[in-house]
Amino acid sequence: MPERAETRRADTAPAGRTWGSPMRRRLAAGASVLFAALLLAGCGTPVVNPVTGKTERSVMTEADEIAEGRKAHPQIVQEYGRVDDARLQAYVSEIGQRLARQSHRAQLPWTFTVLDSPEVNAFALPGGYVYVTRGILAHLGSEAELAGVLGHEIGHVTARHGAQRATRQQQAGLGVLAATVLGAVLEGQGVGGATDLASQVSQAAAAGYLASYSRDQELQADRLGAEYLARNAYDPQRMVDVIGVLRGQELFAADLARAEGRAAPQGMHWLATHPSSEQRLAEIRREAARYAGRYGDARRDRFLTAVDGITFGDGRAHGVVRGRDFFHEDLGIALTAPQGWRIVNAADAVTLANAAGDAGLVVRLVPPKAGRSHDEIIRNAFKPTQGRAERRSVNGLAATHFVGSAADAQGKPRTLRFTLVDGPGGRTYLLGWAWRDAQALQRDGGGIAATERSFRALSAAERARARPWVVDIVAFPRGGWAELARGSPLGPPDRAKAQLRLINSVYDGGADPRVGERVKVVR
């Protein structure tokens, strides 16, 4: 939850300007102009693919790829945030640059960035812009595995897969830059992020882009990744290990959901847009076997030293979830969800939702330009046609609760129900009631109200709990995972043990480390 935001109606998707990320808002505005340019370009121009040597028609020349990647890069960084660790950024960039120099397009101005996201993801833009999240770094086990992830994404760039997708998007009405950024965000967020994007840009365009890379493109990127590993003295079999690490994460998420009586999550990490299958794994193994030979060490210790101290899970910039509580140290606020409810912490809002996901409270910052008083904010941001405002106090903070209606884009009435609260630091917050239908509101309106009443200034005692967790490197003890799980912030002992095995790449049947071997824990 950042410190800049825009108001949004609580119960339904808003008409017109939304409170979403700046990048998404700019996509729609730029798409029509860029698409017009594409129409003038017709079916594209002949371009020789550097990997295959074959000529293909494309709307993007190499110069276009570089230019569009350069334009989109700041938007990606703004969307996710960049990890503020020069040492880690330099480490990842050094590995990526070494791989890129041995690729089919060494001449590109390659850029490698670690994004400040807990999601397990990696993706690339045309022109040589490659991204990995701190989330994926926390789950990899060696430098060779990191090189495998980077090599795969470099393969997408060298084979011009992004340019090929942008060419396909010509008929969907997306400009090159819009297609480039949309594709990267869908990869980065997984399929689960597509619904919001589709509403912001275009249902048809997003649906077309969700096909992402074709199976042939994925397999080609795997093959290229293995080739680039071999060229840099990394064992190409590490490509197999990367898939194993990510399959372990998927298995852990499914096991956790089963234990909690939930459906297994979909589209949650790198595998969501880089589909895994037994056939694909067999093909990766077969491809890696082509490069049989003697390779250097996987550089596990060097990798562990690099990731020692990185943030694990929620970061400071967006606040943290701790059980039923949400804490934001920088903003100085806290909320508590009712028993059984979920907290979904996104970059632009935090949502506290019931188990069914059909009712909840959405908390956002109100931008200063919306108004200097609650009445001004209500008039300027919501333009109600009728309604009633009631002055309140929420844990000693001045508040206004509003119930009424406003016209939607089609002129039809839309119900509004929200509370504006003056929080610490002179910031105003929108606490928007959200519900799917009247039955959901009747059933869980009391829970929404209780969540709203929990909004408060962060106490001194809560500030310690508001600090992000970090990865720590320790020696594996004689007491094994059970010993490491004692006192772990990851939850009850059994869950903590499972998650520690996950981040150390042994959840999916791997052998436990030797006593004294360096492993990752969370502090």
Side-chain angles (χ1 to χ4, degrees), residues 396-414:
L397 303 171
T400 301
H401 186 70
F402 181 86
V403 179
S405 63
D408 64 14
Q410 289 73 43
K412 297 179 180 178
R414 174 175 296 167

Side-chain angles (χ1 to χ4, degrees), residues 266-299:
Q266 300 294 319
M268 51 177 286
H269 52 60
W270 198 58
L271 287 181
T273 50
H274 298 67
S276 177
S277 67
E278 290 305 317
Q279 180 184 354
R280 183 180 176 196
L281 282 172
E283 292 181 15
I284 295 173
R285 292 189 183 100
R286 187 161 51 247
E287 185 65 25
R290 290 182 55 222
Y291 299 96
R294 299 182 65 180
Y295 296 98
D297 182 72
R299 300 186 180 183

Side-chain angles (χ1 to χ4, degrees), residues 297-311:
D297 182 72
R299 300 186 180 183
R300 184 172 184 273
D301 282 343
R302 186 170 185 248
F303 175 79
L304 292 177
T305 298
V307 301
D308 190 9
I310 66 170
T311 300

Side-chain angles (χ1 to χ4, degrees), residues 161-185:
H161 293 161
Q164 291 167 358
R165 287 198 304 190
T167 301
R168 293 199 307 268
Q169 284 307 306
Q170 181 172 272
Q171 298 303 317
L174 279 175
V176 173
L177 179 60
T180 296
V181 178
L182 177 56
V185 172

Side-chain angles (χ1 to χ4, degrees), residues 7 45 126 148 157 178 201 217 232 309 338-339 353 363 423 444:
T7 52
T45 56
V157 176
V201 185
Q217 288 174 325
N232 286 271
Q339 188 69 41
V363 181
D444 279 318

Side-chain angles (χ1 to χ4, degrees), residues 194 318 363 404 412 416 469 478:
H318 298 151
V363 181
K412 297 179 180 178
L416 299 175
W469 299 335
R478 293 189 180 278

